[in-house]
């Protein structure tokens, strides 16, 4: 993974670095930094790349080949193009692009790649600048055009500014790849993007053209390429079939865990369940075995240092990732489970009566106890911490030989405010809602991996060394995991639910993935998304919606039903019937701020830095 940056000047001009941007880029790529300038007749391109070494031999970027082409590559190849273990995928992509003599050949290379990517490519023959993001937008790329000096900036991460420039940054839409004719731009004194869009299966491209062309930053123009060329979509269209009849289940809404487990046990383990486990297991394997190539003479890692970490709440999405990672990571290597909690503020009314014994009513879907002696109450015993501990016990039962580092990451309001102002507000930008703030902050602290692990009832400080972080994003979007899916299903049935799921996957790049990549990458670590592996999405898209979810069943069973059946088949227990709990609520970061806010409101805490 890398932090990549490109400044196009028309005409060529002097450039002064924004120190904050450069610092963010260096943190994304701590292993090597390098700049390169290319000058044309009346233009100049400054390339700056900062490498996080993940595969093969350490390869400096930007990569310039013998004919003068320049590549900045922020991505991982998990399929589509052959990459040997000792090879670096940046070098492989550079070699493939160097042999291309036409736009169709470049599109053919990019269409073949399976995995996340963002790139900038200077094609010397013809003076072209190409750039874009993968189909799901799993890697961040931002753009900004400054009309006063005719400069276009492309970067993995920017910096928030409270001045007039603050709204200039935008995420490059993950609708395809873009090409700038630098000679034409020089003559016109303005920038025009040729768009080469992703072909979305059987969907009508013309209906999306207007949205695509409106995506250009102010001062620039976007046009569809005149050749009508497209990138081949890596996934098939969503199955839109609707069942002939809807079988209502007469189940009381207050069913206990035992009832739900019995209900799940009554479901048949079908070929669809086995197939989901197979494709998801392979997606995890690709991501946990594509780790930094270790030089033969380098010392082995310490016994408690993991190469892979998981954003871990103990919920079904992260539990399945942990169970599948256990299949593919050698037993002697630990796995870090990153569990974040924000300090609960004790209400004033309870302080006086805090010494009085309180009766706790265990909710059936929150495993707060595991048969062990009760733990002392902690202000960090938030819901995700409780379910995380229960999930840890399930994993230890599943494989007692594995060292599972359950990292308790505790965040106070003071540290939250400090790091939001210093770092996180810049990383979340240009997104700016309350939801972006909550999730961005929670993921940043979790990915940092600094907390405590407990051994023999003793806590010791611990910081995760893992460069690879698996995240469960994509499961809810494809398997109807959110409460809004139930609302839509109740209002509009399967037809409405299908429309909602199609929208979820279509907007995931702009709502989540760019932000999460910037936030996790700030620690010199790489986010990997097994649920968004192309083969996983293809398989789930091929299934009718009622095979994936049955929202007539209660919470904890009906949503993500197929995944719950997979969890049962993998040997997981109560985690298979935990209802969805959003990260901002499970970690309790949402409780630390103004509770009257709506998730979609503009977040003043981000805008004031």
């Amino acid at each position: 993974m890398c932090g990549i940056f490109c400044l196009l000047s028309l005409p060529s001009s002097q450039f002064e670095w924004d120190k904050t941007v450069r610092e963010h880029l260096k943190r994304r790529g701590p292993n090597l930094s390098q700049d390169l300038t290319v000058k044309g007749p009346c233009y100049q391109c400054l390339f700056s790349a900062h490498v996080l070494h993940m595969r093969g031999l350490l390869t400096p970027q930007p990569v310039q080949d013998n004919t003068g082409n320049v590549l900045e590559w922020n991505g991982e190849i998990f399929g589509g193009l052959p990459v040997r273990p000792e090879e670096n995928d940046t070098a492989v992509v550079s070699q493939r692009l160097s042999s291309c003599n036409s736009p169709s050949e470049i599109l053919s290379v990019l269409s073949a790649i399976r995995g996340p990517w963002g790139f900038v490519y200077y094609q010397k023959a013809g003076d072209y600048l190409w750039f874009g993001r993968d189909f799901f937008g799993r890697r961040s790329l931002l753009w900004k055009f400054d009309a006063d000096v005719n400069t276009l900036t492309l970067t993995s991460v920017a910096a928030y500014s409270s001045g007039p420039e603050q709204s200039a940054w935008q995420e490059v839409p993950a609708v395809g790849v873009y090409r700038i004719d630098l000679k034409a731009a020089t003559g016109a004194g303005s920038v025009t993007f040729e768009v080469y869009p992703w072909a979305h299966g059987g969907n009508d491209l013309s209906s999306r053209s207007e949205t695509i062309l409106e995506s250009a930053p102010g001062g620039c123009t976007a046009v569809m390429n005149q050749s009508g060329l497209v990138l081949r979509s890596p996934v098939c269209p969503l199955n839109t079939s609707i069942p002939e009849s809807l079988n209502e289940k007469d189940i009381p809404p207050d069913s206990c865990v035992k009832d739900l487990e019995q209900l799940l046990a009554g479901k048949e383990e079908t070929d669809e369940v086995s197939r989901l486990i197979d494709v998801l297991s392979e997606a995890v394997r690709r991501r946990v075995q594509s780790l930094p190539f270790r030089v033969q003479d380098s010392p082995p890692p310490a016994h408690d240092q993991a190469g892979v970490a998981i954003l871990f709440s103990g919920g079904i999405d992260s539990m399945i990732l942990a169970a599948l990672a256990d299949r593919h990571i050698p037993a002697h290597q630990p796995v870090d489970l990153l569990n974040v909690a924000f300090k609960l503020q004790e209400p004033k009314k309870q302080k006086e009566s805090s010494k009085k014994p309180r009766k706790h009513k265990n909710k059936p879907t929150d495993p707060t106890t595991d048969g062990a002696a009760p733990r002392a109450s902690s202000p960090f015993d938030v819901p995700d911490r409780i379910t995380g501990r229960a999930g840890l016990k399930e994993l230890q039962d599943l494989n007692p030989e594995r060292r599972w580092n359950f990292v308790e990451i505790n965040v106070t309001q003071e540290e939250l405010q400090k790091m939001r102002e210093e770092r996180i507000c810049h990383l979340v930008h240009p997104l700016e809602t309350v939801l972006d703030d909550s999730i961005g902050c929670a993921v940043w602290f979790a990915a940092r991996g600094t907390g405590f692990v407990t051994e023999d009832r003793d806590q010791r400080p611990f910081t995760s060394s893992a460069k690879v972080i698996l995240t469960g994003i994509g499961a809810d979007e494809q398997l109807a995991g959110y409460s809004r899916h139930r609302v839509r299903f109740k209002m509009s049935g399967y037809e409405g639910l299908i429309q909602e799921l199609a929208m979820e996957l279509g907007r995931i790049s702009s709502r989540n993935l760019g932000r999460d990549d910037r936030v996790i990458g700030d620690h010199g670590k790489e986010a990997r998304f097994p649920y968004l592996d192309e083969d996983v999405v293809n398989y789930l898209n091929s299934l009718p919606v009622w095979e994936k979810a049955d929202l007539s069943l209660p919470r904890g069973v009906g949503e993500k039903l197929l995944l719950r059946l997979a969890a049962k088949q993998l040997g997981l227990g109560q985690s298979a019937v935990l209802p969805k709990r959003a990260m901002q609520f499970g970690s309790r970061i949402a409780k630390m701020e103004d509770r009257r806010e709506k998730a979609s409101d503009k977040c003043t805490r981000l805008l004031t830095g």
Side-chain angles (χ1 to χ4, degrees), residues 341-342 344 375-386 389 408:
F342 292 82
L344 291 169
R375 299 172 59 99
S377 178
S378 163
F380 295 104
D381 280 347
V382 301
D384 278 1
R385 178 62 46 81
I386 295 169
R389 289 185 187 127
E408 300 186 27

Side-chain angles (χ1 to χ4, degrees), residues 99-167:
S99 65
C100 295
N101 297 311
S102 67
S104 62
E105 291 178 351
I106 287 180
L107 298 180
S108 179
V109 171
L110 296 173
S111 295
I113 296 170
R114 298 295 177 262
W117 49 264
F119 83 110
V120 180
Y121 183 61
Y122 170 70
Q123 189 179 18
K124 186 175 177 61
D127 294 272
Y128 294 114
L129 188 70
W130 295 79
F131 59 94
R133 303 162 69 192
D134 72 80
F135 183 81
F136 297 116
R138 288 165 288 188
R139 291 290 173 257
S140 171
L141 192 63
L142 309 178
W143 59 13
K144 180 181 73 170
F145 183 72
D146 189 339
D148 293 337
V149 289
N150 264 10
T151 60
L152 174 72
T153 308
L154 301 165
T155 181
S156 296
V157 61
Y160 171 78
S161 169
S162 58
E165 290 284 308
Q166 66 95 8
S167 61

Side-chain angles (χ1 to χ4, degrees), residues 106-111 117 133 175-177 196-200 229-234:
I106 287 180
L107 298 180
S108 179
V109 171
L110 296 173
S111 295
W117 49 264
R133 303 162 69 192
V175 296
V177 297
Y196 296 82
W198 290 104
H200 286 241
L229 295 173
V230 297
L231 291 147
R232 295 190 310 275
S233 171

Side-chain angles (χ1 to χ4, degrees), residues 528-549:
R528 294 185 176 177
F529 311 98
Y531 289 106
L532 291 172
D533 178 90
E534 286 85 352
D535 289 344
V536 173
V537 178
N538 257 318
Y539 177 63
L540 291 176
N541 273 5
S542 72
L543 294 175
V545 66
W546 65 88
E547 294 279 3
K548 297 180 282 190

Side-chain angles (χ1 to χ4, degrees), residues 249-264 361-366 552-558 577 579:
K249 313 296 191 304
D250 185 18
I251 298 170
D254 57 347
S255 303
C256 69
V257 165
K258 188 175 181 181
D259 294 334
L260 298 182
E261 287 178 338
Q262 288 175 350
L263 181 61
L264 200 59
K361 183 179 180 181
N362 287 337
K363 294 183 179 180
T365 51
D366 277 341
S552 65
L553 293 172
R555 290 184 71 239
V557 177
V577 292

